[in-house]
Amino acid sequence: MNPIVLIGCFTPLAIIFIIMKLAVWVSAVNTENSYVGKEPLRKRGPFVANAYADVDEKEEEYGDRTDYR
């Protein structure tokens, strides 16, 4: 098979592949730009005063099943 014919057959596939990759890339960039544009306007909070506190400290029971000391 002549290499020119082979290149001629696969060139449209390569062009379509490159166009699809560029379209997906442009779409991802636009999506990211719109997300970043909305991010400063997003509502935040309320925040927890002590995020690592033991919330059920008073309710803990130590018995034969829970006392692992």
Side-chain angles (χ1 to χ4, degrees):
M1 195 184 241
N2 196 353
I4 296 175
V5 174
L6 189 63
I7 291 172
C9 289
F10 285 115
T11 301
L13 292 175
I15 291 172
I16 291 170
F17 180 77
I18 291 170
I19 290 173
M20 286 174 44
K21 286 288 189 179
L22 285 173
V24 169
W25 178 68
V26 167
S27 173
V29 167
N30 287 337
T31 303
E32 185 69 18
N33 280 339
S34 66
Y35 174 77
V36 169
K38 293 176 188 175
E39 185 63 20
L41 306 174
R42 186 172 62 95
K43 183 181 180 300
R44 290 174 172 72
F47 298 106
V48 179
N50 188 359
Y52 299 105
D54 191 5
V55 291
D56 62 344
E57 184 176 0
K58 295 177 184 175
E59 299 174 7
E60 289 179 354
E61 297 179 11
Y62 292 103
D64 58 343
R65 291 182 156 193
T66 59
D67 192 11
Y68 298 111
R69 291 182 253 164

